[in-house]
Amino acid sequence: MRQLIPRPNRDVEPDLAVVYAYPGHTRRWVRANMVASADGAAQAEGKSGGLSGEADKKVFRALRGLADVILVGATTVRTEGYRQPATPREQYARLREAAGQAPAAAIAVISASLELDFDAPLYREAAVPTITITVSDAPPDRLAVAQEAGEVLIAGTGRADVRFAIDRLAASGRGRILCEGGPHLLAEVARVGRLDELCLALSPQLLAGHAMRILDGPPLEPPLPLTLHTLLAEDGFLFTRHLVTNRATP
Ligand SMILES: NC(=O)c1ccc[n+]([C@@H]2O[C@H](COP(=O)([O-])OP(=O)(O)OC[C@H]3O[C@@H](n4cnc5c(N)ncnc54)[C@H](OP(=O)(O)O)[C@@H]3O)[C@@H](O)[C@H]2O)c1
């Protein structure tokens, strides 16, 4: 992997734990990690897997290795088959311990329907309990199963208040948040003013068709301006790290 921006003094393999370190000045930082084709598709045949590659997986693992919580929408969990908890990785163990973090990030699934498989290893075999973010009027039988399977965070009624949920996670000492999508959840995180950073992997392929973009839903009014912070490259992929403009820089 090569770092292109900022230009390093020497052409050495960048240390992703350093490049993507969470800022130390704040107790809450929400970064999103998404992959898109060069023509902006966030899905290939309905999933993101076809857009990915080894280089992209390297960044994906690094970002997971640094986070306290991985926030993900229920449709992504259902379509991408999120069945496993995040794996504690030797590479990040010392760093996490020094930062007072759990051995791996907890996955937090947001869902109002609770149409989720609470018997999956994601819930039953998680070293760090999986969190379900939901609403007080979720189907009571499903809510009971969710509560038995892990931690439940009730964030309002009807539709979960994403800002409240993120703030609650941060207040409980889990403020290094990584949003892995999907596009509807990510747009909502941006809309409620909680997106600080976008990590985008630009996959070297063109798809055309009618796939979703990395944010979907009603337009953001006004649009959210971004500032380029870092650019990496490997295997034809570009990896951008954009900060939402006017946030304090890391
Ligand atoms: N390119 C990428 O990097 C990337 C990343 C992730 C996903 N994807 C792709 O994106 C697609 C899925 O994304 P999506 O945008 O359709 O769905 P999504 O954002 O993953 O999930 C939407 C679902 O999450 C729950 N949800 C979201 N916000 C909520 C809120 N405020 N309150 C309560 N529940 C909430 C609801 O679940 P319930 O229906 O259970 O109530 C909602 O139906 C898949 O094709 C996936 O492969 C691509």
Side-chain angles (χ1 to χ4, degrees), residues 56-79:
D56 167 56
K57 290 194 184 109
K58 217 188 278 182
V59 174
F60 178 88
R61 285 193 294 267
L63 296 183
R64 282 190 159 203
L66 298 170
D68 295 322
V69 174
I70 297 161
L71 181 63
V72 64
T75 304
T76 295
V77 169
R78 291 188 286 258
T79 58

Side-chain angles (χ1 to χ4, degrees), residues 1 16 20 33 54-65 92 199 201 232 239:
M1 185 150 318
L16 296 183
Y20 289 105
N33 183 32
E54 259 322 298
D56 167 56
K57 290 194 184 109
K58 217 188 278 182
V59 174
F60 178 88
R61 285 193 294 267
L63 296 183
R64 282 190 159 203
Y92 296 100
C199 297
L232 306 175
F239 299 95

Side-chain angles (χ1 to χ4, degrees), residues 32-35 42-43 45-49 51 60 64 70-84 107-113 115-117 122-123 178-187 189 212-216:
N33 183 32
M34 301 293 283
V35 59
Q43 304 163 294
E45 294 174 0
K47 293 190 184 186
S48 63
L51 301 169
F60 178 88
R64 282 190 159 203
I70 297 161
L71 181 63
V72 64
T75 304
T76 295
V77 169
R78 291 188 286 258
T79 58
E80 299 272 345
Y82 270 59
R83 295 188 58 79
Q84 301 294 333
I107 293 188
V109 183
I110 183 159
S111 170
S113 74
E115 288 296 325
L116 298 162
D117 179 2
L122 175 60
Y123 291 92
L178 171 65
C179 178
E180 290 186 345
H184 283 95
L185 174 60
L186 180 52
V189 172
M212 271 191 274
R213 312 199 316 265
I214 60 167
L215 270 73
D216 208 317

Side-chain angles (χ1 to χ4, degrees), residues 25-51:
H25 67 275
T26 171
R27 286 166 52 85
R28 187 194 69 223
W29 189 265
V30 182
R31 85 165 24 130
N33 183 32
M34 301 293 283
V35 59
S37 68
D39 58 332
Q43 304 163 294
E45 294 174 0
K47 293 190 184 186
S48 63
L51 301 169

Side-chain angles (χ1 to χ4, degrees), residues 101 107 219 229 240:
Q101 291 178 287
I107 293 188
H229 183 276
T240 69

Side-chain angles (χ1 to χ4, degrees), residues 220-244:
L220 291 175
E221 302 280 6
L224 207 53
L226 302 175
T227 302
L228 182 62
H229 183 276
T230 312
L231 179 63
L232 306 175
E234 182 167 289
D235 291 347
F237 278 80
L238 290 176
F239 299 95
T240 69
R241 184 177 178 207
H242 279 96
L243 306 185
V244 172

